[in-house]
Amino acid sequence: MSAWTVRPAAGPADRAACFAVRREVFVTEQRVPEEIEYDAHDAEDAATVHVLAVRADGTPLGTGRLLHGPAAASRTGGDPGVGALGRLAVTRSARGLGVGAALVRAVEDAARTLGLAAVDLHAQTHALGFYERLGYRAYGAEFPDAGIPHRSMRRALRT
């Protein structure tokens, strides 16, 4: 596979690439209903940061999203100093290359830039080990989201 980079998504074409990756991973592979995969935070919004991993030829490989401020409140217990990482998805062909970890770190960098102290996420339970290796710790009980078991996790950020 050729070289790849991770960057903040900028403009409609990048957001469309993010949504294409999410459709492939969540809607097609995991059978999440499309009507619940996309939400109001997918519009260009000051409270949302999308990140995108792309190959050198421009092929999208992965994406993630950071919510902050009131947009993140329902996912972070209402703490304004905590952002919410979500919609992390890596295409099947890019798995195992470090793309997912690079996307998480890009979201954390965006959170630091915004002055956030921590990042929360809702991890599919099969991915707990991935997030634990990146410094996240699970808390609370398991819960279903889109019919898939999840756990809440948090990582404090060093600024």
Side-chain angles (χ1 to χ4, degrees):
M1 171 155 304
S2 44
W4 51 269
T5 59
V6 173
R7 58 181 165 77
D14 278 0
R15 279 197 316 282
C18 293
F19 302 154
V21 170
R22 286 171 42 192
R23 186 175 303 106
E24 177 182 334
V25 173
F26 296 128
V27 177
T28 302
E29 283 183 36
Q30 296 184 356
R31 302 195 184 332
V32 172
E34 194 159 5
E35 59 272 13
I36 66 171
E37 172 52 30
Y38 304 99
D39 62 23
H41 303 298
D42 287 327
E44 193 164 6
D45 179 338
T48 307
V49 177
H50 295 272
V51 294
L52 178 64
V54 293
R55 264 195 337 220
D57 68 3
T59 302
L61 301 176
T63 187
R65 180 174 87 173
L66 172 70
L67 302 179
H68 57 94
S74 68
R75 294 167 175 85
T76 64
D79 186 336
V82 179
L85 185 159
R87 303 307 203 268
L88 185 76
V90 175
T91 61
R92 189 180 304 269
S93 66
R95 292 180 193 148
L97 302 176
V99 172
L103 287 163
V104 171
R105 296 305 187 219
V107 165
E108 292 170 351
D109 289 345
R112 280 187 198 89
T113 298
L114 292 164
L116 300 175
V119 173
D120 272 16
L121 58 87
H122 293 166
Q124 294 182 8
T125 55
H126 72 84
L128 288 171
F130 166 77
Y131 290 110
E132 286 169 344
R133 287 188 295 279
L134 295 174
Y136 288 80
R137 296 294 168 246
Y139 66 90
E142 184 177 295
F143 60 93
D145 187 0
I148 300 167
H150 283 70
R151 292 274 313 274
S152 294
M153 301 186 85
R154 178 172 286 188
R155 179 171 188 259
L157 301 176
R158 292 178 192 64
T159 52

